[in-house]
Amino acid sequence: MELSQALGIINLTAPDEVQSLADLLSPDLIQQAFSLTDTVTLRKRKLPLESMVWLVIGMAIFNNKPMSHIVNLMDIVDRTGRSFTAPSSVIARRKTLGEDAIRVLFDITQQHWHAEAKHPLWHGLTLNAVDGVVWHTQDTPENAEAFGKASNQHGERGYPQVRMVCLMELSSHLLRASVMDSYNVNEMRLAAQLADSAPDNSITLFDKGFYSLGLLHDWHNAGENRHWLTPLKKNTQYEVVCKLGKQDELIRLKTSPQARKQWEGLPEEMTVRLIRRKVNGVERQVLTSMTDAMRYPAASVAELYKHRWEIELGYRETKQFLLGNRWALRSKLPELVRQELWGILLTYNLIRYQMIKMAFSLKGDYLPYQLSFSGAVSEILRLLIGLPWASAGAIPGHLKHFYSNAAMLKLPSRREREYTREVREKRSKYPLKNNAGHLK
């Protein structure tokens, strides 16, 4: 039984409360992505492009295995283990598939999954965050030219790197959008490209590295009721407009001529809200576009910023648990690197949406981020490997057992940090000579 057939049977036999993996990535969604990107699949081939989509997903799930094993595990060879085609043909078909089809498929599925997720609201707003991440690629001339490398006083060093910025919904860790470019492109400029992807009636948390009045102004005006929250930059000059409460005030910030030149429509002044609070004796200051103190109480806003750490956990889940701390991506050509990255994001969302379904199946108010991501990956691996070999009558039982394990994935409550976060000193690989030059 081929993987696509198994998924189709699940869709027919699973009960309503237990949906199938086919609902996550149905053939209709794949064909829609192909049609939107003019990807032609008229000829019947031994390696159809639909199988290549599953191969790209398999590269993320089975990232520690060689391509020949992934082709086998994703059911792209016959049951004797004989490949339908030479390994070189797999690379050729990946090139034919391209990156656009996977990128559009990511966008189509994220829209569908966010609509189905029923995210909890904070004072009527969905909670999101923006942050950046860097991916190492294979050190090939093509990748080095396309993406660039980190440099110092000695010139370029290390592997070519791709810079990426993502927009994530924080209660589910579902990604909404992503942009990627070469390593030397500023994260702030990449973040600006995500402004149109933020939903209306939302609040987006930004790290202090994204402090830019031009970016924040554009984000707030990109749609209806699109708010932001970010730490106040050190030594920022401002004028107090009025007091809203204890450690809560409206302030006026002036923009620079350079910023107004770079960001079209940026006014000379912006009125925003400044909220202060003390954490372990240290004063923290956050800025926000939520100027209505009655609708958005200062105490709730002050506590909100700590949730920005969820997107950092999402990146850790992707790199550490999904990709197994793999140092570099496997693709050697820029177009295949971008295809592989879109496949990783698509696979991460696929797993995260499955965790939403698992959270719905639990008794009690559990959010998806309260379940173990690594445990969910293990369960999905078991399901993917086992389904193609199962009989049609046994598939509902596999799914029932899969969802019954959701209770085992509940994480304990997070402990409060006992020590302040600090940068550890990097230990030198050479021994220290405390008595250098001393003659005995």
Side-chain angles (χ1 to χ4, degrees), residues 384-418:
L384 279 176
I385 293 174
L387 280 179
W389 307 90
S391 64
I395 289 176
H398 280 266
L399 277 174
K400 183 178 180 180
H401 178 69
F402 175 77
Y403 283 98
S404 67
N405 288 341
M408 300 171 56
L409 302 181
K410 292 187 291 186
L411 294 171
S413 300
R414 294 177 181 172
R415 297 176 297 174
E416 293 294 329
R417 181 177 293 276
E418 298 180 2

Side-chain angles (χ1 to χ4, degrees), residues 114 119-128 167 169 176 194-204 218-228 295-296:
H114 278 288
H119 299 306
L121 302 179
W122 179 88
H123 293 279
L125 306 176
T126 57
L127 187 58
N128 308 275
L167 173 65
E169 198 283 328
R176 292 187 181 275
L194 296 174
D196 292 334
S197 301
D200 292 337
N201 302 308
S202 65
I203 171 71
T204 303
D218 281 5
W219 198 276
H220 183 56
N221 290 278
E224 182 179 353
N225 212 23
R226 298 187 186 183
H227 293 291
W228 51 263
R295 184 173 182 181
Y296 308 113

Side-chain angles (χ1 to χ4, degrees), residues 163-232:
R163 191 176 298 281
M164 176 188 289
V165 176
C166 295
L167 173 65
M168 175 186 285
E169 198 283 328
L170 297 184
S171 70
S172 64
H173 289 195
L174 268 179
L175 297 171
R176 292 187 181 275
S178 178
V179 289
M180 62 187 77
D181 211 318
S182 60
Y183 179 76
N184 58 8
V185 175
N186 187 278
E187 283 187 342
M188 210 172 297
R189 286 298 176 183
L190 293 180
Q193 300 178 39
L194 296 174
D196 292 334
S197 301
D200 292 337
N201 302 308
S202 65
I203 171 71
T204 303
L205 312 182
F206 290 92
D207 182 58
K208 60 183 179 180
F210 291 89
Y211 182 86
S212 165
L213 295 183
L215 170 63
L216 300 176
H217 176 268
D218 281 5
W219 198 276
H220 183 56
N221 290 278
E224 182 179 353
N225 212 23
R226 298 187 186 183
H227 293 291
W228 51 263
L229 177 70
T230 188
L232 177 66

Side-chain angles (χ1 to χ4, degrees), residues 81-128:
R82 186 179 65 251
S83 298
F84 287 141
T85 184
S88 58
S89 297
V90 175
I91 299 176
R93 292 300 280 164
R94 280 189 61 199
K95 291 180 180 179
T96 303
L97 177 63
E99 64 172 292
D100 289 340
I102 304 297
R103 174 182 54 81
V104 171
L105 183 58
F106 166 83
D107 187 57
I108 293 173
T109 53
Q110 68 84 15
Q111 293 180 39
H112 174 69
W113 295 339
H114 278 288
E116 295 291 321
K118 301 176 183 178
H119 299 306
L121 302 179
W122 179 88
H123 293 279
L125 306 176
T126 57
L127 187 58
N128 308 275

Side-chain angles (χ1 to χ4, degrees), residues 48-309:
L49 290 185
E50 292 83 353
S51 295
M52 289 297 98
V53 172
W54 282 106
L55 178 67
V56 173
I57 294 173
M59 289 168 56
I61 297 179
F62 304 108
N63 64 86
N64 61 336
K65 298 186 180 299
M67 190 68 74
S68 58
H69 289 191
I70 297 174
V71 170
N72 189 16
L73 288 168
M74 299 308 290
D75 209 28
I76 308 177
V77 298
D78 62 19
R79 290 291 171 243
T80 67
R82 186 179 65 251
S83 298
F84 287 141
T85 184
S88 58
S89 297
V90 175
I91 299 176
R93 292 300 280 164
R94 280 189 61 199
K95 291 180 180 179
T96 303
L97 177 63
E99 64 172 292
D100 289 340
I102 304 297
R103 174 182 54 81
V104 171
L105 183 58
F106 166 83
D107 187 57
I108 293 173
T109 53
Q110 68 84 15
Q111 293 180 39
H112 174 69
W113 295 339
H114 278 288
E116 295 291 321
K118 301 176 183 178
H119 299 306
L121 302 179
W122 179 88
H123 293 279
L125 306 176
T126 57
L127 187 58
N128 308 275
V130 165
D131 205 0
V133 64
V134 171
W135 302 88
H136 293 80
T137 73
Q138 295 293 319
D139 192 5
T140 64
E142 295 85 357
N143 286 344
E145 181 179 359
F147 305 122
K149 300 180 179 180
S151 61
N152 55 23
Q153 67 271 25
H154 304 293
E156 290 186 335
R157 291 293 185 272
Y159 285 66
Q161 299 179 65
V162 181
R163 191 176 298 281
M164 176 188 289
V165 176
C166 295
L167 173 65
M168 175 186 285
E169 198 283 328
L170 297 184
S171 70
S172 64
H173 289 195
L174 268 179
L175 297 171
R176 292 187 181 275
S178 178
V179 289
M180 62 187 77
D181 211 318
S182 60
Y183 179 76
N184 58 8
V185 175
N186 187 278
E187 283 187 342
M188 210 172 297
R189 286 298 176 183
L190 293 180
Q193 300 178 39
L194 296 174
D196 292 334
S197 301
D200 292 337
N201 302 308
S202 65
I203 171 71
T204 303
L205 312 182
F206 290 92
D207 182 58
K208 60 183 179 180
F210 291 89
Y211 182 86
S212 165
L213 295 183
L215 170 63
L216 300 176
H217 176 268
D218 281 5
W219 198 276
H220 183 56
N221 290 278
E224 182 179 353
N225 212 23
R226 298 187 186 183
H227 293 291
W228 51 263
L229 177 70
T230 188
L232 177 66
K233 188 178 181 180
K234 189 176 181 180
N235 299 325
T236 298
Q237 302 296 316
Y238 60 85
E239 175 188 352
V240 177
V241 177
C242 65
K243 291 281 188 178
L244 299 178
K246 186 179 180 180
Q247 297 183 327
D248 184 10
E249 54 198 12
L250 289 181
I251 65 171
R252 184 178 293 116
L253 297 172
K254 293 185 178 180
T255 61
S256 66
Q258 295 83 0
R260 293 194 295 272
K261 185 178 180 179
Q262 293 178 10
W263 301 89
E264 184 179 356
L266 180 64
E268 294 185 2
E269 296 179 342
M270 287 178 57
T271 300
V272 298
R273 186 178 177 188
L274 174 62
I275 299 175
R276 299 183 179 89
R277 69 179 182 127
K278 283 193 174 182
V279 180
N280 298 327
V282 179
E283 185 178 74
R284 307 293 185 186
Q285 299 175 312
V286 292
L287 291 178
T288 182
S289 59
M290 298 180 290
T291 55
D292 190 339
M294 297 296 293
R295 184 173 182 181
Y296 308 113
S300 297
V301 176
E303 288 291 322
L304 186 61
Y305 184 73
K306 66 181 182 182
H307 294 287
R308 193 205 67 83
W309 193 248

